[in-house]
Amino acid sequence: MGNVIVIEATQSKFSKLKDNSKKTINVGAYCRVSTDSEEQLGSYESQKKHYAKLIKEHENWQLIGIYADKGISGTKVAKRKNFNRMIQDAVDGKLDMIIAKSISRFARNTVDTLNYVRILRNHNVDVYFEKENIHTLELTSEMFLTLYSAFAQAESESISENVKQGVRMKMKRGNLVGQYACYGFIYNEKIKNIVPKEPEATTVLMIHEEYSRGVGGTRIAKKLNDLKIPSPRGKKWTGKSIIDIIKLEKYVGDLLTGKTYIDNPINSKKKINHGEYAKYYTKNHHKGIVSNELKTECLTILEKRKTQKYSKLYPFSSKIFCGICGEKYIRRSWNSNNPAIKPRAIWVCRKYNKNHNDCNCVGNVKERVIEDLFVKICSTFYHDKIDKFDENIFEKFIDQIIIGKKGRNDTDLENIRFILKDKTEYEDTIF
């Protein structure tokens, strides 16, 4: 076996950056503050001045740019527009070195820190953390960087927990968290609370009054859209947006806090509080828009419809059930391009409609067939009960079957009674 001759290393990746005679080093600086407070913004401006001065002090350092994000958390790299632009510039070869005040300014997430440092090292780009005095191209092991990053992440989690404790204390005192005002209200800076806002407040009151009269969310939404009234998001109203307003306690002047919580400060994902944390209900927190009586009436109707899964959109909505699987029948219709052809409508089992193999029912049933069947039921009812007419049985029959798109009212009821009692006119017009 031959002799091995060792050819000693003469330089490293980092030595190229340290050797002033080699080349001009393109440098970018990154600074960030996590809030928009005056104190933090002052720190933000100080960081920018510091890096501009530091880079000018080195003759072979050329300032390419100061990349700055303000009012953004270090745990949310995806939202840091200038940070991502800096990484892209480095990958594109525009930067040789990036300077950051500390690892926590660069990122408070260990995974993100290591991920971006590795990307930059693969492109021979050094990252210099001033506080820790670390050059990433000098590191022979990522152990120290991992430890420092873990400490930065732990610090972020500690700060987040302190903020959560402060928010919970505000909730316990019955204070509004933040300055968010829902539809129909506006935040008043003088009294530090929300107050009704017109014309939105009038719309909220109208929604509750209509719903208390039995008008469904979909129909209320259609009415508001026809009136060109914008929704809370400035778009069209939907049945869901109407129901959300009916549910919200703020419209009677009460406040419920703690509806949601942040799972952890790293992903900052907001979750609905199903009992994992305490909630705080404050009565008479602010001036309401609707009365407690009206709100209670609306919520009672909402709960009843939720339990019964009841719909009034079409005459047979929530009235037809599959004899095989028990699912409700739903209405489907098709419009022809030819105006002379009337729209076709059928009713079909909801489960069968999704997948024909899930239910062995008869399939689609023409609406006309169902209407004819309904007439026959009325006829049978008439022949069997005409001699001993029972008002209670009639009322139950009407409630279960004859409730149309507009809901039942006294005029509809009288018309139905007239048809059922007048055998001659009934038979002449129907059969």
Side-chain angles (χ1 to χ4, degrees):
M1 188 173 182
N3 294 330
V4 178
I5 301 174
V6 179
I7 303 174
E8 298 291 345
T10 59
Q11 62 181 10
S12 65
K13 290 181 178 181
F14 181 66
S15 66
K16 295 179 180 180
L17 295 178
K18 293 179 70 176
D19 189 349
N20 293 343
S21 63
K22 289 289 182 180
K23 65 171 185 176
T24 298
I25 300 173
N26 295 327
V27 181
Y30 181 72
C31 54
R32 174 188 62 80
V33 293
S34 55
T35 68
D36 285 327
S37 67
E38 291 185 8
E39 181 182 353
Q40 289 280 284
L41 291 178
S43 171
Y44 169 77
E45 293 299 328
S46 296
Q47 289 181 56
K48 290 175 65 176
K49 292 178 181 178
H50 168 71
Y51 290 125
K53 180 181 178 182
L54 177 65
I55 293 172
K56 286 182 179 179
E57 290 175 354
H58 295 75
E59 294 181 1
N60 66 323
W61 285 14
Q62 179 178 336
L63 177 62
I64 299 301
I66 296 178
Y67 303 83
D69 290 307
K70 56 182 178 179
I72 300 177
S73 170
T75 61
K76 304 174 183 178
V77 172
K79 294 185 177 181
R80 290 195 276 163
K81 180 180 177 181
N82 287 317
F83 177 87
N84 291 314
R85 182 169 63 87
M86 176 185 69
I87 298 298
Q88 188 60 52
D89 285 350
V91 170
D92 292 341
K94 297 178 182 179
L95 298 175
D96 297 312
M97 183 167 64
I98 295 172
I99 304 174
K101 180 180 179 181
S102 65
I103 293 176
S104 63
R105 293 296 94 189
F106 190 76
R108 286 189 181 272
N109 184 326
T110 304
V111 174
D112 285 338
T113 300
L114 295 176
N115 180 45
Y116 285 105
V117 165
R118 287 167 183 166
I119 291 174
L120 295 170
R121 289 184 70 176
N122 288 337
H123 289 81
N124 199 26
V125 177
D126 181 42
V127 182
Y128 174 52
F129 300 114
E130 284 190 287
K131 181 180 178 181
E132 295 82 6
N133 194 26
I134 291 177
H135 282 276
T136 57
L137 289 185
E138 276 188 327
L139 291 174
T140 56
S141 170
E142 289 185 347
M143 181 181 68
F144 291 109
L145 183 61
T146 302
L147 288 173
Y148 280 120
S149 299
F151 290 145
Q153 180 172 322
E155 181 186 1
S156 176
E157 292 171 350
S158 177
I159 293 172
S160 175
E161 189 57 37
N162 291 337
V163 171
K164 287 180 182 178
Q165 290 292 344
V167 170
R168 292 191 191 105
M169 291 302 296
K170 290 188 68 175
M171 292 179 181
K172 287 182 180 179
R173 294 195 297 267
N175 294 340
L176 189 70
V177 178
Q179 299 181 3
Y180 169 72
C182 61
Y183 183 83
F185 290 99
I186 187 172
Y187 185 80
N188 188 311
E189 187 67 38
K190 291 183 180 179
I191 63 174
K192 305 294 182 183
N193 207 343
I194 55 176
V195 294
K197 173 188 175 184
E198 293 294 348
E200 295 177 359
T202 300
T203 302
V204 169
L205 181 59
M206 183 188 76
I207 289 172
H208 283 79
E209 290 175 342
E210 289 287 300
Y211 199 82
S212 68
R213 288 196 286 266
V215 183
T218 302
R219 289 175 56 204
I220 295 175
K222 184 179 184 303
K223 180 177 180 180
L224 294 176
N225 291 330
D226 291 342
L227 293 173
K228 307 297 183 183
I229 298 176
S231 71
R233 295 187 177 183
K235 299 180 181 179
K236 287 189 175 182
W237 290 87
T238 64
K240 183 181 182 303
S241 59
I242 297 297
I243 299 304
D244 287 343
I245 284 180
I246 296 296
K247 290 180 178 179
L248 196 58
E249 82 290 338
K250 288 186 178 70
Y251 295 120
V252 293
D254 297 344
L255 175 67
L256 176 62
T257 53
K259 297 177 183 177
T260 61
Y261 65 95
I262 300 297
D263 189 24
N264 64 71
I266 304 305
N267 58 30
S268 299
K269 185 176 181 180
K270 186 178 289 187
K271 293 186 177 181
I272 297 175
N273 184 5
H274 292 294
E276 293 86 351
Y277 295 92
K279 297 179 183 179
Y280 305 93
Y281 196 96
T282 307
K283 296 188 71 65
N284 302 319
H285 175 267
H286 53 270
K287 183 180 179 181
I289 296 175
V290 301
S291 66
N292 283 288
E293 294 76 17
L294 180 57
K295 173 64 80 172
T296 301
E297 188 176 354
C298 291
L299 292 176
T300 301
I301 295 173
L302 177 63
E303 190 61 30
K304 182 178 179 181
R305 289 182 173 180
K306 181 180 177 181
T307 304
Q308 297 179 349
K309 296 182 179 180
Y310 183 75
S311 171
K312 289 184 179 182
L313 187 58
Y314 301 103
F316 296 106
S317 294
S318 300
K319 302 295 188 300
I320 308 172
F321 294 84
C322 180
I324 304 297
C325 67
E327 261 288 5
K328 286 194 301 185
Y329 265 58
I330 56 177
R331 189 179 188 270
R332 291 289 179 266
S333 62
W334 295 268
N335 293 320
S336 172
N337 293 328
N338 187 349
I341 301 177
K342 294 182 179 180
R344 294 180 297 160
I346 58 97
W347 289 79
V348 59
C349 166
R350 188 192 299 272
K351 186 178 290 186
Y352 178 86
N353 185 63
K354 289 182 178 179
N355 189 337
H356 292 0
N357 297 324
D358 289 344
C359 181
N360 296 321
C361 64
V362 295
N364 301 337
V365 181
K366 293 180 180 179
E367 188 170 64
R368 183 66 237 178
V369 172
I370 296 176
E371 291 172 348
D372 290 342
L373 179 61
F374 172 76
V375 170
K376 290 180 181 180
I377 293 174
C378 290
S379 179
T380 301
F381 183 89
Y382 162 75
H383 287 298
D384 289 346
K385 300 294 181 180
I386 193 66
D387 295 329
K388 44 181 180 180
F389 194 80
D390 190 326
E391 286 288 338
N392 292 329
I393 295 176
F394 182 81
E395 289 283 351
K396 291 179 181 178
F397 177 74
I398 299 301
D399 283 337
Q400 292 297 316
I401 299 177
I402 312 177
I403 297 185
K405 186 175 181 180
K406 295 182 179 179
R408 199 186 90 186
N409 56 49
D410 294 338
T411 303
D412 296 333
L413 194 58
E414 290 304 319
N415 289 340
I416 294 168
R417 283 199 180 100
F418 176 78
I419 293 174
L420 289 175
K421 289 179 180 180
D422 193 322
K423 180 177 180 181
T424 304
E425 181 176 349
Y426 180 73
E427 292 179 343
D428 289 345
T429 57
I430 302 299
F431 298 101

